[in-house]
Amino acid sequence: MSPISRRQALAGAAASTALFTMPESFAMTAAQDLILVNAKVTTLDRENPVADAVAIRDGKFLAVGTEGEVRAAAAPNAKVIDAKGRRLIPGLIDSHIHVIRGGLNYNMELRWEGVPTLADAMAMLKKQAENTPPPQWVRVVGGFTEHQFAEKRLPTLDEINAAAPDTPVFILHLYDRALLNAAALRAVGYDRNTPNPPGGEILRDAQGNPTGLLLAQPNATILYATLAKGPKLPPEYQLNSTKHFMRELNSLGVTSVIDAGGGSQNYPDDYEIVEKLHKDGDLTLRIAYNLFTQKPKEELKDFASWSTQIRPGDGDDTYRHNGAGEMLVYSAADFEDFRQPRPDMAPEMEGDLEPVIRLLAERRWPWRMHATYDQTISRALDVFEKVNRDIPLKGLNWFFDHAETISERNIDRVAALGGGIAVQHRMAFQGEYFVERYGAKAAEATPPIKRMMDAGVPVGAGTDATRVASYNPWVSLSWLVTSKTVGGLALYPVRNRLDRETALRLWTEKNTWFSNEIGKKGQIKAGQLADLALLSDDYFAVPEDEIAHLRAVLTVLGGKVVYGEGDFGPLAPKAPKAMPDWSPVATFGGYYRRDEHAKKFAAACACHSACNVHGHDHAAALGAKVPAADVQSFWGALGCGCWAV
């Protein structure tokens, strides 16, 4: 990191970071209209549900209908994009993501999200360890589960040490464990004299030395605290990293997010990067942000201070404040590690929570509250109802996050208080663990989304990325429609699944309630913000098992193209070069893409045997011992022998 100050670096970053530039062939004047034609438009506007063209003016939809209608409405010099018959949907909105924190770190993280085999994942790890200079780490920070791998397991510590003998490696698996190689243990200073923190365990060998496995029991603080010991990117790289993370989300059709704060995300220091991007006009997402309390026992002080400095709604349509949470008080925070028994909240929970809720209600601050279990929700609702008797909560748009095991009675209590529930696809990553602990019957309505909707509770969808689940919205949409985990386990009976349109609404118009923007966006409708995504395939026509593999080929934010690929690539701004040059983003990109990763994996592990799925044969290349001489034939039912290692 250079010796200049953080603020100096931020001020000069525009000169050192490559900027997005629009190709001259698609340069638009500020007043010029944009038309998209030859599209299958899903408007989600019940009065005008389908169309084949849209016109955009001044960042908003001008007309939605037939090509003739939109051409008649637009100016004669409008720029025209031929959608080539593809499905066009409103831009996706993630109601729960940690995008501000995630952006600061994105370029440092190796992503295993969507990678189909452990063999592939380990080849990536080995290659990245070779690329990463000291004292930097290789970090795999969430977004995956062992169940997605064909091998159905995590790597062993011996395998990690063999792949990266000298470079520190930190692998976070959900919020239940972290795996560190020997170099990482040395880097963080864990030895036989390091005590276990409250709620966490450092596993040790017979001599008392740490093995490299850290367990949340069930408190994940040990995982966060260890990760925080790693090097950080300098500010100019954080700017670049955040641009890349936003572009990655744009590539999946995401145009808006609600940031849920996060541990180790301090206000206002850790917001300098996103605020500079906003000031410079470089945000390619609309961000509404909640403020997450920073220190146990000082929660009331935090919100009392912040509520004199900023008000919900402050900002503009691109960057705006959204209220409090998802952490309101530490004593009310349960944990979503279904490998562990449900934690009981502390006896002081209600006493800590009530003054904070009373302050927020008095100052008309909406809030969101992390609550996985019905027992936590019950106790929180006792507090909310008590405050409501003095200060009515209706109209505040407060809501619970997660609510996997919420009861019917508590759903009705939420409805009576005018609250909402934001659900995430954490069960897609932990469903197997939930079934193992509580049984398949208990998992059939976890969370009970249809019951919430039937009760009139506003429900929206999101990811809780980047650590506990993937940021890919299509994995969430696949889970909502099919009920399947990323490991293929079907959780819900048909009566508890959503049809494709209902699921899409939870990712678009329904999420606007959670940021107090109803009617402003979420539909393709004249007068709304012109945010849209043109898809790689037809969401409404592809087989269910293909939904998770969809992405955007063109993404438009407020009438401006922010992402394009293939035929639409020349219309889009050029991505800046990933910084630093050893970034995993530069080598492997982001979420796994079947059509692009085969060559990258082959190069990473030097496999050259043909494989119909991955383009190479790990089993042969790694000398795996399998119960057949011809792996490709033996595992022919899958068309691939890569996973048999």
Side-chain angles (χ1 to χ4, degrees):
M1 187 172 185
S2 63
I4 62 174
S5 72
R6 180 181 181 85
R7 292 190 182 276
Q8 287 173 324
L10 285 169
S16 62
T17 304
L19 299 178
F20 290 166
T21 56
M22 186 67 74
E24 287 186 6
S25 61
F26 198 71
M28 293 177 61
T29 65
Q32 196 166 15
D33 295 347
L34 175 65
I35 295 174
L36 286 90
V37 300
N38 188 22
K40 298 174 184 174
V41 184
T42 298
T43 68
L44 299 182
D45 175 6
R46 298 190 192 279
E47 296 180 356
N48 181 30
V50 296
D52 57 36
V54 302
I56 297 169
R57 176 180 293 169
D58 297 331
K60 295 182 179 180
F61 291 114
L62 173 67
V64 181
T66 66
E67 180 175 343
E69 289 169 339
V70 303
R71 285 186 180 272
N77 68 337
K79 287 288 186 179
V80 180
I81 297 176
D82 182 352
K84 303 182 186 297
R86 293 183 179 272
R87 178 67 60 182
L88 185 69
I89 64 170
L92 299 177
I93 303 169
D94 191 330
S95 60
H96 186 131
I97 189 172
H98 301 274
V99 72
I100 295 173
R101 180 182 66 191
L104 301 180
N105 300 291
Y106 179 74
N107 279 7
M108 291 192 294
E109 297 174 355
L110 176 66
R111 310 228 71 83
W112 281 358
E113 297 178 54
V115 176
T117 75
L118 180 59
D120 282 328
M122 291 303 292
M124 295 167 68
L125 181 72
K126 184 176 187 298
K127 178 67 174 178
Q128 188 56 42
E130 294 168 353
N131 290 348
T132 303
Q136 298 292 337
W137 299 7
V138 176
R139 312 169 201 224
V140 182
V141 186
F144 79 100
T145 172
E146 61 183 310
H147 297 290
Q148 79 191 42
F149 296 141
E151 298 90 339
K152 301 298 182 185
R153 68 175 180 88
L154 292 173
T156 67
L157 292 168
D158 286 343
E159 288 170 332
I160 297 169
N161 279 301
D166 302 312
T167 305
V169 172
F170 177 98
I171 300 173
L172 177 69
H173 181 253
L174 307 174
Y175 276 163
D176 67 19
R177 63 194 56 214
L179 295 89
L180 283 68
N181 67 350
L185 286 174
R186 292 192 295 270
V188 300
Y190 290 172
D191 59 26
R192 62 184 303 153
N193 298 314
T194 304
N196 287 333
E201 182 179 359
I202 302 171
L203 259 66
R204 304 169 194 274
D205 62 19
Q207 289 71 46
N209 297 308
T211 63
L213 180 60
L214 311 180
L215 296 178
Q217 302 273 34
N219 191 321
T221 301
I222 185 175
L223 311 181
Y224 309 145
T226 304
L227 179 60
K229 293 176 182 288
K232 292 180 171 57
L233 292 175
E236 62 269 31
Y237 287 16
Q238 290 177 340
L239 278 165
N240 178 277
S241 178
T242 301
K243 285 185 176 184
H244 273 276
F245 189 30
M246 291 191 298
R247 186 177 187 275
E248 172 76 351
L249 292 170
N250 295 152
S251 78
L252 296 165
V254 178
T255 55
S256 290
V257 299
I258 308 177
D259 185 273
S264 303
Q265 184 173 324
N266 298 315
Y267 182 81
D269 293 351
D270 291 325
Y271 291 71
E272 289 180 352
I273 296 295
V274 71
E275 289 180 356
K276 175 171 175 55
L277 289 167
H278 174 241
K279 179 181 177 182
D280 293 347
D282 287 337
L283 289 181
T284 63
L285 292 172
R286 303 187 193 279
I287 300 175
Y289 63 95
N290 287 72
L291 292 182
F292 186 109
T293 190
Q294 321 244 291
K295 193 177 294 185
K297 302 303 180 184
E298 294 189 16
E299 300 96 338
L300 183 61
K301 179 181 175 182
D302 279 340
F303 292 119
S305 174
W306 292 336
S307 60
T308 64
Q309 303 170 39
I310 191 169
R311 294 176 301 175
D314 281 357
D316 57 31
D317 290 337
T318 305
Y319 181 71
R320 62 198 301 273
H321 178 48
N322 198 53
E326 66 180 296
M327 180 76 79
L328 297 177
V329 297
Y330 280 83
S331 58
D334 59 15
F335 302 99
E336 63 276 16
D337 181 0
F338 296 134
R339 277 184 159 176
Q340 296 293 325
R342 175 185 61 82
D344 288 319
M345 296 299 93
E348 64 268 20
M349 169 183 162
E350 289 83 352
D352 292 343
L353 185 59
E354 182 181 341
V356 169
I357 296 300
R358 194 168 291 276
L359 173 80
L360 296 173
E362 287 172 347
R363 300 191 179 180
R364 308 312 289 172
W365 266 48
W367 70 81
R368 63 192 307 162
M369 179 177 167
H370 169 111
T372 300
Y373 297 99
D374 188 57
Q375 292 82 351
T376 308
I377 292 169
S378 288
R379 292 176 62 180
L381 285 170
D382 290 343
V383 173
F384 297 174
E385 289 168 345
K386 182 179 179 181
V387 172
N388 182 66
R389 288 192 285 270
D390 300 325
I391 311 167
L393 304 184
K394 281 200 173 182
L396 267 182
N397 288 34
W398 66 269
F399 56 97
F400 284 113
D401 282 300
H402 316 312
E404 276 86 359
T405 70
I406 190 171
S407 63
E408 292 193 6
R409 175 176 179 270
N410 281 338
I411 291 172
D412 293 336
R413 292 172 74 190
V414 172
L417 289 172
I421 300 174
V423 299
Q424 298 79 39
H425 63 315
R426 304 189 310 180
M427 285 292 287
F429 292 82
Q430 296 196 63
E432 287 85 354
Y433 302 136
F434 189 95
V435 169
E436 182 179 346
R437 178 167 294 279
Y438 299 107
K441 187 68 176 176
E444 286 187 353
T446 305
I449 297 174
K450 281 197 170 181
R451 177 63 175 82
M452 297 171 186
M453 296 170 66
D454 289 345
V457 173
V459 179
T463 61
D464 200 8
T466 57
R467 295 177 179 177
V468 73
S470 171
Y471 53 73
N472 188 337
W474 299 103
V475 177
S476 169
L477 283 156
S478 175
W479 164 73
L480 290 168
V481 171
T482 70
S483 90
K484 290 182 180 179
T485 69
V486 295
L489 176 66
L491 295 171
Y492 317 134
V494 173
R495 67 179 182 275
N496 290 341
R497 303 174 194 173
L498 302 184
D499 63 79
R500 298 191 196 200
E501 181 177 319
T502 300
L504 183 60
R505 286 184 186 275
L506 294 193
W507 263 94
T508 51
E509 61 160 328
K510 298 300 183 183
N511 269 341
T512 62
W513 183 91
F514 297 86
S515 58
N516 283 277
E517 295 177 289
I518 294 175
K520 182 176 284 189
K521 60 185 180 182
Q523 298 167 291
I524 298 178
K525 183 177 182 179
Q528 291 204 11
L529 294 170
D531 303 343
L532 57 84
L534 194 64
L535 302 183
S536 57
D537 210 333
D538 190 343
Y539 168 66
F540 290 99
V542 296
E544 285 188 347
D545 61 3
E546 288 295 308
I547 292 174
H549 300 293
L550 293 173
R551 54 187 301 107
V553 294
L554 178 75
T555 304
V556 173
L557 181 76
K560 297 180 180 178
V561 176
V562 293
Y563 179 80
E565 65 178 56
D567 292 342
F568 303 95
L571 308 180
K574 184 178 179 181
K577 181 180 178 181
M579 301 166 62
D581 57 8
W582 52 264
S583 168
V585 172
T587 304
F588 296 106
Y591 194 90
Y592 174 82
R593 298 176 66 173
R594 293 177 300 181
D595 54 342
E596 291 186 358
H597 277 65
K599 292 180 181 178
K600 293 179 181 178
F601 289 145
C605 67
C607 299
H608 300 294
S609 237
C611 163
N612 293 331
V613 178
H614 304 118
H616 61 300
D617 186 349
H618 275 125
L622 299 180
K625 295 180 180 179
V626 293
D630 186 346
V631 179
Q632 196 74 25
S633 298
F634 186 79
W635 298 109
L638 297 177
C640 168
C642 290
W643 72 284
V645 294

